Amino acid sequence: MDENGQGPDNDEQKASLEWGETSGVFSVRRVLDVVDQRRDEIARDAYSAVMYQELCGRRARVRNDLRTWAEQVPVLAKAFGKDFIPPMTPQEIANEEQQRIDRKAARIARRHKNDVFMRAVHNYVQTAASPLRDSTQIELEEKAKYLAVKLRGFFSKKDFQGAVQFFHEHVGDFPFPHESEIFADLVYEECRRLLHSLHEKLLYDLLPEALDAVAQMTKLEREDFAFMREGVQIQPEQKVFEDALIRAMSEHPAIYIRMRQTFMDLGFIDDQKMDRNPEIQAAMMQMLAEKIQTNPEIYYSFVRQLHKAGVIDGDALHNSPEIRETIKGALVSAMRNGPIVYILLRDRMAKLDLIDEDGFNLDEDVQDASVEHFKSWHSTEAQSYESFVVFMRRHGLAVPKNLAQHIGGEISLFTKFWYKIKECLVSVDTNYFEEFLSQCRDFDEYFFEQDRKRIAELLRDFSEKYRMFRGGK
């Protein structure tokens, strides 16, 4: 009977008959089978443990043999400008391997967060923790870890470009996918450790160079950089991202947009707050003002890019007093340089619907700027002056109202009427002006294409130099 006063049930009675050996109400043979089974499991576990211990020992020997003579002795390392790398024990190798697997498993879990059974994580851990490795795999895996330690040495000396160069020199040392992935994982961990160290030591001035170097070696993941998130940053750290975006805006809207998106994806900035930053707004207005005066087409393209990215309201910006005043200033400046310059700039703006074609022709400031040109041609022979007046009127520009006071004396109504008759009924030779205008249009198109090429080259250089801000995944 048991403690509740119950006797053996039918299965236990049957077992005593089947197994033939009993002790009280239990089958001794069944107990022995369970013990044997457990003993086999323990033996397998012990064998696996021995195998793993042997594997770690082999890893330690391979790892230590990778060190040069200078790296093995502190005095020699100091003499030759190398980093001393102490020998690794099997236990240290085991701990290092376990940390690597744990970190990679956490990253895999993030990527497959919708998989409730975490199949990808289980598959990875089962493969990574297996002691089954051939000699080539062991050598390459340990070489990857050894190179990661050397990369850490570059980071500790703040030699970021040296680290990038070292990475590119050795990334080709791993031709097989498994070992190549391990090297990539280790590089990622070293980069993550570097940025965390800079943050803890308040070395914010090194962040731009460090981020640039890191991006040339690996791709950052948002979850690993919570310590740099917007909202937990202090002012010097925020200023790093602000300054980078101000410089980007002054160069090209596409650079600003790409950099802004990357920083936002990593949680480093609040995009809405950054777009309203007064310094960024000032850099944007200055950049747009420069383009209005030289290439309205590029200005139009820039505004469209910024509008599409949600940085600005394009219509509101274009109709703002600052932009309207800049457009007028550009046209007045163009007229001071010459009527041909004004006509070319005005026509380009009108073609893009940035202005009404006749909107500034009668503007007082534009007319005042044209006085010197009318005055200059008035001092020549009458036929040339008449041709100039006809040319200007043909392109929508009238004789300035205050021209008389500049050339001395009132222009009689008869003279004005005569100019009008000559324009309508007499063939006044304006070929000189029209041909010159045509040539200038060609030059205008040429310089516009040159500007487009320079911008394309700027974007190409940016994309090649700053891998962190490339589009896509």
Side-chain angles (χ1 to χ4, degrees), residues 40-53:
D40 291 341
E41 292 176 0
I42 294 172
R44 284 194 297 272
D45 292 343
Y47 177 73
S48 298
V50 171
M51 287 281 291
Y52 189 68
Q53 185 176 10

Side-chain angles (χ1 to χ4, degrees), residues 100 140-141 143-148 151 166-174 177-189 217:
R100 182 185 71 81
L140 288 176
E141 288 177 6
K143 183 178 181 180
K145 298 173 188 175
Y146 166 74
L147 294 177
L151 188 68
F166 177 81
F167 167 79
H168 287 296
E169 287 174 354
H170 292 283
V171 69
D173 293 355
F174 306 96
H178 172 72
E179 291 78 14
S180 176
E181 183 180 0
I182 288 179
F183 182 58
D185 293 339
L186 293 168
V187 169
Y188 177 87
E189 290 302 321
M217 295 181 283

Side-chain angles (χ1 to χ4, degrees), residues 343-394:
I343 292 169
L344 291 173
L345 183 61
R346 180 203 64 188
D347 290 351
R348 291 167 68 184
M349 287 184 174
K351 186 177 179 180
L352 296 167
D353 294 326
L354 301 181
I355 63 170
D356 184 278
E357 185 173 357
D358 301 321
F360 288 90
N361 292 341
L362 300 179
D363 183 87
E364 290 185 6
D365 293 329
V366 172
Q367 287 206 332
D368 287 345
S370 71
V371 164
E372 287 300 319
H373 305 294
F374 278 92
K375 180 180 175 182
S376 175
W377 281 99
H378 189 273
S379 64
T380 64
E381 60 184 29
Q383 183 72 18
S384 298
Y385 178 67
E386 291 165 13
S387 300
F388 176 72
V389 171
V390 170
F391 168 78
M392 294 288 277
R393 285 176 172 164
R394 185 177 296 169

Side-chain angles (χ1 to χ4, degrees), residues 257 260 271-272 275 304-313:
I257 292 166
R260 162 185 173 268
D271 61 324
Q272 299 298 323
D275 291 341
R304 186 173 57 184
Q305 291 180 55
L306 292 167
H307 177 83
K308 186 176 180 181
V311 179
I312 60 170
D313 182 329

